């Protein structure tokens, strides 16, 4: 059976997701203090990585739209923003699930948590803005807003270094990871980055198809008038 390029990425993603689950549940060592609840960490951090990459895609596509004024860049930015908001939502859900048994609280106004919540509001606002203003004006306003909103991405990443908080510094300057946790983490990040790529591509295809249908409908109306 010959596989076309449209099927290769979803199949790779499925394999990576299964491998990720196996690595997290079967290979990753149980953390001594937190126990099995720490396994949420692999999914939590991987979702954050997928969100950051998605918002970087929004940033690049928004610049592309401003420079080229082509609809495909706007569709790509909006598609990536939807996927980024999805993964940020998962970060905000898995974080409290991990924090409650470890910190004794669902939520604290730690700098990392607070800036991540702001990130979610910013890109949710971007999606609302694009829907509120139709056509080219909405796309241009959204592109400018998305470029400005991207400032919060590095703020979220460096927040654990810039301000004192209780969120652990897993990848920068902290206690580091147990060597046995590195491979499950890498494969989890890979799996969710692949999944974000699949979702962005499928959403972009839908947006382009809807755009094509709209153009056909307008052409038919012009022919009838």
């Amino acid at each position: 059976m010959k596989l076309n390029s449209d099927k290769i990425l979803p199949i790779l993603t499925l394999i990576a997701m299964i491998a990720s689950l196996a690595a997290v549940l079967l290979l990753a060592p149980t953390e001594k203090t937190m126990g099995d609840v720490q396994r949420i960490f692999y999914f939590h951090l991987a979702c954050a990585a997928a969100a950051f990459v998605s918002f970087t895609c929004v940033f690049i596509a928004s610049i592309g739209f401003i420079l080229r004024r082509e609809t495909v860049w706007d569709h790509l930015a909006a598609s990536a923003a939807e996927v980024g908001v999805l993964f940020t939502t998962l970060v905000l859900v898995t974080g409290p699930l991990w924090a409650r048994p470890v910190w004794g609280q669902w939520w604290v106004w730690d700098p990392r948590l607070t800036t991540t919540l702001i990130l979610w509001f910013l890109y949710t606002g971007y999606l609302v803005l694009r829907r509120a203003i139709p056509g080219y004006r909405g796309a241009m306003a959204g592109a400018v807003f998305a470029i400005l909103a991207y400032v919060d991405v590095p703020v979220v990443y460096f927040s654990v270094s810039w301000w004192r908080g209780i969120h652990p510094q897993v990848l920068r300057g902290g206690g580091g990871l147990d060597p046995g946790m590195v491979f499950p983490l890498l494969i989890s990040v890979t799996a969710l980055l692949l999944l974000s790529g699949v979702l962005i591509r499928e959403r972009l295809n839908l947006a382009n198809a809807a755009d094509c249908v709209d153009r056909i409908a307008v052409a038919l109306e012009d022919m009838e008038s």
Side-chain angles (χ1 to χ4, degrees):
M1 182 177 65
K2 185 177 180 180
L3 293 176
N4 59 46
S5 59
D6 289 341
K7 295 181 179 177
I8 292 176
L9 185 58
I11 290 174
L12 286 176
T13 302
L14 178 61
I15 293 172
M17 293 290 290
I18 294 172
S20 172
L21 285 174
V24 170
L25 296 177
L26 303 177
L27 293 181
T30 302
E31 208 279 337
K32 293 180 180 177
T33 305
M34 293 180 278
D36 283 331
V37 72
Q38 185 268 345
R39 296 181 196 277
I40 294 175
F41 152 77
Y42 301 98
F43 185 68
H44 178 73
L45 190 145
C47 284
F52 282 178
V53 170
S54 298
F55 292 142
T56 301
C57 183
V58 178
F59 177 72
I60 294 171
S62 297
I63 293 174
F65 178 77
I66 290 174
L67 295 178
R68 305 295 296 272
R69 313 295 172 94
E70 295 172 352
T71 306
V72 65
W73 290 105
D74 175 55
H75 287 335
L76 176 58
S79 301
E82 290 181 5
V83 174
V85 169
L86 169 65
F87 279 110
T88 306
T89 302
L90 292 174
V91 170
L92 292 171
V93 170
T94 55
L97 290 177
W98 182 17
R100 181 65 177 87
V102 176
W103 294 344
Q105 300 181 67
W106 293 104
W107 180 271
V108 294
W109 292 103
D110 172 272
R112 171 62 65 83
L113 277 65
T114 304
T115 52
T116 302
L117 182 62
I118 292 172
L119 189 70
W120 185 89
F121 277 116
L122 284 172
Y123 283 93
T124 301
Y126 161 83
L127 294 173
V128 171
L129 175 66
R130 283 193 72 263
R131 290 181 181 277
I133 307 176
Y136 174 80
R137 288 178 59 247
M140 181 57 72
V144 173
F145 185 91
I147 291 171
L148 296 175
Y150 188 73
V151 171
D152 195 43
V153 172
V155 171
V156 172
Y157 183 77
F158 289 108
S159 60
V160 290
S161 301
W162 290 348
W163 299 293
R164 183 177 299 175
I166 62 174
H167 193 285
Q169 297 187 47
V170 177
L171 302 179
R172 302 184 67 254
L177 286 176
D178 182 288
M181 297 178 177
V182 174
F183 175 72
L185 176 61
L186 290 177
I187 197 167
S188 295
V189 170
T190 301
L192 290 195
L193 287 179
L194 287 171
L195 179 61
S196 66
V198 170
L199 293 175
I200 291 172
R201 188 184 68 171
E202 294 303 315
R203 187 65 187 85
L204 177 62
N205 289 339
L206 284 174
N208 289 335
D211 206 32
C212 184
V213 170
D214 288 342
R215 286 199 299 270
I216 293 173
V218 171
L220 289 174
E221 289 178 0
D222 291 342
M223 291 174 63
E224 292 174 354
S225 61

